[in-house]
Amino acid sequence: MAGTAGNLSVIAAVEQTAGRGQGSHSWHSLKGQNLTFSMLCKPSCLHASDVLLITCAVTLGIRDYLLGNGVEARIKWPNDIWVGEKKICGILIENSVESGEVRSSIIGVGLNLNQCEWPEELPNPVSLRQITGKSYGLREELEAVSARIGRRLSLMDSDAGRSELQEEFGKYVFRLPEDGLSPQRDPEI
C-alpha cells in the first residue's frame, strides 16, 4: 500500500500475532489491549544522511503523547520509549531510499496501552494503564498519538524544525551501557 497511500496514512491492528522488534527481538501484545500500528511517512525532501530525523520526530511525538497523559518518558537509543526503568513503547522504522533521498518510511509502533499481564521472559514492560490507573480507548488514543507524531514529522520540512528535533532528541535520549546495569546519556547524540 506504500505506493498508493497518502503521507501519514495509518494502518492499525487490533491483534498482532508476529510482532517484530529490532534484530531478532519480538513484540508481545494481547488482543485489543495495546496500540500496534504502522504509519507511512513520505518526506518532501530528506537526504538519506538525515534519516535519523525520522527517529527523532517519531520518538518525540510519542513522548509528547505520554506527557499529555501526565507521564514523563525518555528515549532509549535507538528505538524504545521508557518510563522510569520500564519499556512502554517499541518503534521499528524501515526506510526506502532512492538516489540518496528518503522516498518513504514505514514507522511501526507498539505502545503498551491497557495490558497489565506480561510473559515472564519480558524483562521490563509497563503500560500506560499500569502507570495512570486509567483504561484507554484504542481508536481515540491512536488518533491522539498519530497526531503528535505527525506534528513532529512536519518539523523536518524546515531547517529550524530540524534543529529543534535534534536538540530536543538529544535531551531525552540515553543508551544502556554494555553491562546493561544503568542507563546513561550518550554525549555523541
Side-chain angles (χ1 to χ4, degrees):
M1 293 176 54
T4 58
N7 188 38
L8 303 184
S9 293
V10 174
I11 303 292
V14 173
E15 181 178 19
Q16 187 177 45
T17 58
R20 290 189 306 146
Q22 186 174 1
S24 62
H25 296 172
S26 61
W27 184 261
H28 173 81
S29 180
L30 290 178
K31 182 178 180 177
Q33 295 293 303
N34 303 309
L35 291 180
T36 51
F37 67 95
S38 293
M39 176 182 270
L40 176 64
C41 175
K42 294 182 176 182
S44 58
C45 182
L46 185 64
H47 193 271
S49 63
D50 293 327
V51 74
L52 180 59
L53 285 169
I54 296 170
T55 298
C56 295
V58 172
T59 55
L60 289 170
I62 294 168
R63 185 178 184 284
D64 292 344
Y65 164 78
L66 292 169
L67 276 174
N69 283 283
V71 176
E72 179 75 31
R74 299 175 302 146
I75 302 162
K76 186 186 87 52
W77 177 260
N79 59 353
D80 293 333
I81 306 293
W82 281 30
V83 175
E85 299 299 316
K86 296 188 177 265
K87 180 177 175 177
I88 194 167
C89 181
I91 302 156
L92 184 61
I93 301 173
E94 296 180 4
N95 300 298
S96 173
V97 177
E98 184 181 303
S99 301
E101 298 288 321
V102 178
R103 297 295 178 213
S104 66
S105 295
I106 298 174
I107 303 158
V109 176
L111 177 61
N112 297 333
L113 203 59
N114 290 313
Q115 188 168 335
C116 293
E117 295 182 17
W118 309 95
E120 287 182 24
E121 67 269 14
L122 297 180
N124 63 343
V126 70
S127 70
L128 193 55
R129 181 177 184 176
Q130 288 176 301
I131 296 166
T132 67
K134 300 176 185 174
S135 183
Y136 297 87
L138 296 180
R139 183 174 299 275
E140 298 82 11
E141 300 311 311
L142 178 61
E143 290 175 11
V145 74
S146 298
R148 298 287 180 123
I149 294 170
R151 280 199 264 321
R152 288 294 190 156
L153 287 169
S154 72
L155 293 174
M156 295 189 311
D157 293 339
S158 72
D159 289 339
R162 289 173 183 213
S163 293
E164 179 183 329
L165 287 171
Q166 291 170 328
E167 184 178 320
E168 197 169 346
F169 181 80
K171 288 180 188 178
Y172 301 111
V173 71
F174 71 95
R175 288 181 193 246
L176 288 178
E178 295 294 321
D179 62 12
L181 296 178
S182 61
Q184 62 187 24
R185 264 186 64 83
D186 187 340
E188 297 177 22
I189 297 176

